[in-house]
Amino acid sequence: MEDLLLSIHVLAGIVFVGGSAVATSLFPRYVPVAVPAGAPVEAPENGGGRSRDTALALHRITRVYALIGIVVPVVGIALALLQGRMAELWVNVAMVLTAAAGVLLAWQIHPRQREALREPGEKSALGRLSMWSGIYNLLWAVVVVLMIVRPGSAA
């Protein structure tokens, strides 16, 4: 049973958390931005290849993979209970960071993506969205390191 739960936990983490991490990171690059009157429009061949359709697909991936990705902490908690690791510090820190990543995604990243799709805004707003996406990805990177290193682990 442990092997099955660990396999589900790792595969779901790679596919769903990894997918949402990539989608959140790429979204600001593709969402259209408002162009002030008289400003030159970036040509696609010069890196201005913004696409609402691509941004919309990335937004959907962010939402759907985040929802399905709930399986990662649920299975992780089941695995920690089965292994008797719930009292270990690294498990608890990983759970707190996972919750923080989920809250960040639900309250900052996803709503900002939705707003950027609704009405093109300034590049500075996309810079803030990129920052939140970077923090989201950093939280997951720390969780992965905790899963590998397991500081203070009993075994």
Side-chain angles (χ1 to χ4, degrees):
M1 182 55 108
E2 281 184 42
D3 291 339
L4 176 64
L5 289 174
L6 183 58
S7 297
I8 292 169
H9 182 66
V10 171
L11 287 172
I14 291 168
V15 173
F16 301 122
V17 173
S20 71
V22 170
T24 61
S25 295
L26 289 174
F27 179 88
R29 165 67 184 87
Y30 288 98
V31 70
V33 294
V35 179
V41 177
E42 296 177 23
E45 61 273 5
N46 293 333
R50 295 186 175 274
S51 165
R52 187 178 192 293
D53 290 338
T54 301
L56 186 58
L58 292 168
H59 178 63
R60 286 182 183 149
I61 291 168
T62 299
R63 182 184 68 239
V64 173
Y65 278 31
L67 289 172
I68 297 171
I70 292 171
V71 75
V72 176
V74 169
V75 172
I77 290 169
L79 185 60
L81 286 168
L82 184 65
Q83 294 176 337
R85 294 186 178 270
M86 286 300 288
E88 293 184 21
L89 180 62
W90 68 273
V91 172
N92 290 289
V93 172
M95 288 191 304
V96 168
L97 294 176
T98 297
V103 166
L104 183 61
L105 186 63
W107 288 349
Q108 289 295 323
I109 297 170
H110 190 264
R112 288 174 188 257
Q113 285 183 349
R114 188 174 52 241
E115 181 61 32
L117 283 167
R118 189 174 304 135
E119 184 175 328
E122 300 298 320
K123 279 192 175 183
S124 62
L126 293 179
R128 286 187 294 279
L129 179 55
S130 292
M131 177 195 69
W132 289 120
S133 297
I135 293 169
Y136 174 74
N137 291 331
L138 180 62
L139 288 170
W140 284 120
V142 172
V143 170
V144 168
V145 170
L146 287 171
M147 297 289 148
I148 294 168
V149 177
R150 300 184 306 181
S153 175

